[in-house]
Amino acid sequence: MSRTDIGPPDFREMLPPVIKENYGKWKYHEIVKPGVLKHVSESGAELYSVRVGSPRLVSIDFIREICDLADEFCDGYLRFTSRHNVEFLVSKKENVEPLLDALKEKGLPVGGTGNSLSNMIHTQGWIHCHTPATDASGIVKAVMDDLYEHFVNMDLPAKLRISLACCLNMCGAVHCSDIAILGIHRTPPRIDHERLPKVCEIPTVIASCPTAAIKPDPKRKSVKVNEERCMYCGNCYTMCPAMEIIDAENDGIAILVGGKVSNARTAPAFSRLAIPYLPNNPPRWPEVTEAVRNIVEVWAANAKKGERVGEWIQRIGWENFFKLTGIPFTDKHIDDFIFSVPTFRTTTNFKW
Amino acid sequence: MKEHKTPLLDELEKGPWPSFVKEMKRAAEKNESAKDLLGQLELSYQDKKGHWKHGGIVGVRGYGGGVIGRYSDCPEQFPNVAEFHTIRVNQPSGWYYNTKALRKICDIWEKRGSGLTNFHGSTGDIILLGTKTDELQPTFDELSDAGFDLGGSGSDLRTPSTCAGPARCEYACFDNLDLCHDLTMTYQDEIHRPMWPYKFKIKISGCPNDCVASIARADLSIIGTWRDSLRIDQEEVKKYAASGMDIKGEVCEPCPTKALEFDEDAGELRLKAEDCVRCMHCINRMPKALRPGVERGATILIGGKATILQSAFLSWVIVPFMKMEPPYQELKDLLERIWEWWDENGKTRERIGELIYRKGMGNFLRAVGLPAVPQMVYQPRANPYIFWQPDEVKKK
């Protein structure tokens, strides 16, 4: 009989000796070059971290390969970042260059530090999710290929955090990213009246709707949907599989911009709608990669040193954001959900 | 076993970024499920829709969470992913590993599952992607023998996660790795047995840079900070100036409260400590010269979540400063009062932030016994619709 509730391994067993000796005593760090951090302790000890991009969806062969590298160059220690990068923890300075050579040979990109694009956090998409409006890994691969130079170089005005969620459930923090790529549905749920009473609790389905668009349909022992009120969030489908919302013809992608989570300079902020809809075009989603590149390039060309996307937009104004990027402003950009009022302009101060 | 042609996915083997399709193909060389997963994903790329059925509850003995049931909607075509369940494995604090531990997981997953993983999932767990129902219990048993346990899923405490912390970062304002481990061990029952209105996430960041995005996605966000003045090493300031850094432009001007001034003649950085809001900008720019203060702890915030259902919320400040020292009793007492109130008042699938929004922050604060302080708001209310409490007015 296996033991339950043992919890995760104690992180203290996973730390290299240089960390154990200097735990809580790190004094400062430098970015030696893109992807290579050097932390210096009050004792004078040094630790190098080599940050490497990963596709997140990896085979055990990949894990074994990075273990081989960690055994060879890091005495068997490594970690992962909150954005799915691998970080090799190198205690011996002389091992840094050989590790970089070995990574180059394997085609693994080193970068993601300082003023660069970090790895994209993302969700499961078509690989493993049951409610997705788009894929995740495929778009991430296409966007990271396209913006690769900004991962391996620190040539941007500030950090750039791009994230993807394959539906509005948003597993992960995409709603507070410099650029958020979000899978959306655009049509109301299709009700399977035969199946619904057998597999769903009707009060729960009704309660699941944020706009009260779902009402009981006692005749059919089912529900009906006021389609004019439906905002296609898919929450009813999550609660009830007989409310099919996936629609291959109409599902697609929205792009939101200007969010952040860090408290540095400005308060954490939500990303806001830039592009309401782009089509799903696998395998490389050209409309999405082009739209993202456009926003990145306009920001990089116009922002001051150190300005995140949202800080740049706050300075120039949303009017100018739409003008500079050439993205059309439409009625879709004006909020009509529950917290809309504070987003309406209540001053004569604006820009042309 | 049929080889699937994957012309669309093959396109995603091209380009400089590491390819997940290559990873899937590596796994498919040794594993029939991984092979059929490739085939089914190719079909999704053709059809522009997912091919997983909705729902399906599976699990291991004694647990209610930790496993996500998944079944193909086209099992005739792809029989080896007819059942393809995911196992969430609780990661060590800060995602630090030795290779011995990682290799154990690989060996178990080679024998028991598809050989495909996520390092890591959005909640922080190691995701073992895809196995059959019969393999779930043996996989768990072997993981347990190897020292690993499952994480949370469903209406329970989700696997707490935290940033690199004092093991590798000079900014950490408390031992966030220890706190994450301690909370995870204390609340094993809450992680493994769903018994709440909905999910509850705890994310812990060692400093206001918030590298784990706790403010955006955690129901309870714990963010390290300090209460005294940040520390300045004027010698290092001089060195940054000598290296050509534009201290006035890069450090002082972006300071949100203009608390910093650079005296170019003296080569000194002057701080109006009472104006500093501890945002980290200057420290991020000059890590050799500036450091957090010494009276350290954390700000506790509540209610962060993504859009569904009642819009997205960023977490709200409820305790501006709390000391963070083992056994973290003050924090645990507060957490338990919060859970009790949420459990009693929350509707099915109502996150704590939504409940607070529905019931009012005043009710929440009174229920969990927290005093109202100005740090909780940007500005006071503009409307006069005040709920007076019975003991605050005279009864007729």
Side-chain angles (χ1 to χ4, degrees), chain B residues 184-245:
Chain B
T184 305
M185 297 310 288
T186 305
Y187 297 115
Q188 284 292 299
D189 201 26
E190 285 77 2
I191 290 174
H192 292 137
R193 289 159 202 98
M195 53 188 158
W196 282 339
Y198 199 19
K199 66 180 109 175
F200 194 96
K201 297 185 177 181
I202 300 175
K203 306 283 166 209
I204 308 163
S205 278
C207 86
N209 282 325
D210 197 5
C211 287
V212 291
S214 69
I215 208 160
R217 65 204 187 101
D219 297 276
L220 193 89
S221 316
I222 302 169
I223 301 179
T225 189
W226 62 97
R227 201 152 57 167
D228 53 346
S229 166
L230 62 84
R231 290 174 288 167
I232 305 176
D233 181 337
Q234 298 292 356
E235 286 312 304
E236 292 293 339
V237 173
K238 288 190 179 73
K239 285 185 200 163
Y240 275 109
S243 75
M245 184 184 219

Side-chain angles (χ1 to χ4, degrees), chain B residues 33-78:
Chain B
S33 296
K35 205 178 274 184
D36 269 4
L37 182 69
L38 259 177
Q40 184 176 304
L41 188 64
E42 178 75 14
L43 182 65
S44 283
Y45 271 53
Q46 288 166 19
D47 296 349
K48 301 189 185 185
K49 60 175 272 199
H51 278 291
W52 297 106
K53 258 192 231 172
H54 187 302
I57 293 172
V58 284
V60 301
R61 274 197 303 274
Y63 284 25
V67 182
I68 320 291
R70 197 63 82 225
Y71 300 88
S72 170
D73 75 0
C74 37
E76 305 78 20
Q77 228 173 323
F78 305 106

Side-chain angles (χ1 to χ4, degrees), chain A residues 71-135:
Chain A
D71 284 340
E72 193 176 347
F73 301 106
C74 314
D75 306 314
Y77 297 97
L78 72 164
R79 69 177 293 267
F80 293 80
T81 71
S82 57
R83 302 191 70 87
H84 316 147
N85 297 294
V86 182
E87 271 180 355
F88 291 94
L89 302 170
V90 192
S91 339
K92 300 186 192 84
K93 188 180 179 181
E94 63 272 22
N95 281 353
V96 173
E97 284 303 322
L99 171 60
L100 291 173
D101 292 341
L103 290 165
K104 198 170 180 184
E105 204 174 303
K106 289 193 181 300
L108 288 170
V110 174
T113 51
N115 292 342
S116 70
L117 165 63
S118 191
N119 202 351
M120 283 173 70
I121 54 164
H122 66 91
T123 56
Q124 295 290 18
W126 292 334
I127 270 284
H128 206 251
C129 183
H130 65 287
T131 64
T134 188
D135 190 32

Side-chain angles (χ1 to χ4, degrees), chain A residues 64-341:
Chain A
R64 284 172 176 155
E65 239 173 60
I66 60 170
C67 284
D68 289 345
L69 292 171
D71 284 340
E72 193 176 347
F73 301 106
C74 314
D75 306 314
Y77 297 97
L78 72 164
R79 69 177 293 267
F80 293 80
T81 71
S82 57
R83 302 191 70 87
H84 316 147
N85 297 294
V86 182
E87 271 180 355
F88 291 94
L89 302 170
V90 192
S91 339
K92 300 186 192 84
K93 188 180 179 181
E94 63 272 22
N95 281 353
V96 173
E97 284 303 322
L99 171 60
L100 291 173
D101 292 341
L103 290 165
K104 198 170 180 184
E105 204 174 303
K106 289 193 181 300
L108 288 170
V110 174
T113 51
N115 292 342
S116 70
L117 165 63
S118 191
N119 202 351
M120 283 173 70
I121 54 164
H122 66 91
T123 56
Q124 295 290 18
W126 292 334
I127 270 284
H128 206 251
C129 183
H130 65 287
T131 64
T134 188
D135 190 32
S137 322
I139 304 172
V140 168
K141 163 74 173 145
V143 171
M144 289 307 287
D145 276 343
D146 192 50
L147 296 177
Y148 184 81
E149 76 265 27
H150 299 306
F151 181 84
V152 296
N153 298 307
M154 300 191 293
D155 56 357
L156 293 168
K159 287 179 195 311
L160 178 63
R161 298 285 181 259
I162 308 182
S163 314
L164 180 144
C166 53
C167 85
L168 270 59
N169 277 315
M170 295 200 209
C171 313
V174 310
H175 55 305
C176 294
S177 306
D178 293 292
I179 301 177
I181 302 171
L182 178 63
I184 55 162
H185 304 293
R186 295 193 301 154
T187 46
R190 303 179 300 282
I191 306 169
D192 182 343
H193 293 292
E194 276 290 296
R195 194 171 165 224
L196 192 139
K198 292 179 200 131
V199 294
C200 311
E201 281 179 18
I202 289 174
T204 316
V205 181
I206 292 168
S208 73
C209 181
T211 63
I214 303 176
K215 295 271 181 267
D217 184 349
K219 268 190 203 156
R220 286 198 273 203
K221 291 193 175 126
S222 180
V223 297
K224 49 191 167 190
V225 173
N226 178 350
E227 297 199 351
E228 280 176 19
R229 295 186 72 133
C230 175
M231 298 184 82
Y232 333 113
C233 72
N235 196 38
C236 57
Y237 178 57
T238 297
M239 295 312 291
C240 173
M243 306 280 288
E244 180 69 59
I245 191 139
I246 293 172
D247 174 353
E249 290 284 305
N250 290 294
D251 289 349
I253 281 160
I255 308 270
L256 296 93
V257 302
K260 70 195 269 281
V261 293
S262 160
N263 288 269
R265 299 172 302 284
T266 46
F270 291 123
S271 315
R272 297 188 176 268
L273 186 69
I275 302 174
Y277 176 76
L278 293 167
N280 266 331
N281 261 332
R284 295 204 74 99
W285 283 266
E287 297 86 352
V288 175
T289 54
E290 199 191 314
V292 170
R293 172 168 279 275
N294 175 41
I295 294 165
V296 172
E297 284 179 351
V298 174
W299 164 66
N302 290 279
K304 287 186 192 173
K305 194 174 175 187
E307 262 179 347
R308 296 279 295 261
V309 172
E311 294 169 315
W312 163 66
I313 297 172
Q314 282 306 311
R315 178 170 60 81
I316 64 164
W318 283 97
E319 315 84 297
N320 280 330
F321 168 80
F322 284 100
K323 197 179 344 179
L324 286 170
T325 55
I327 297 169
F329 188 87
T330 68
D331 57 339
K332 309 287 181 295
H333 290 90
I334 298 178
D335 195 354
D336 41 20
F337 195 49
I338 48 181
F339 300 110
S340 61
V341 170

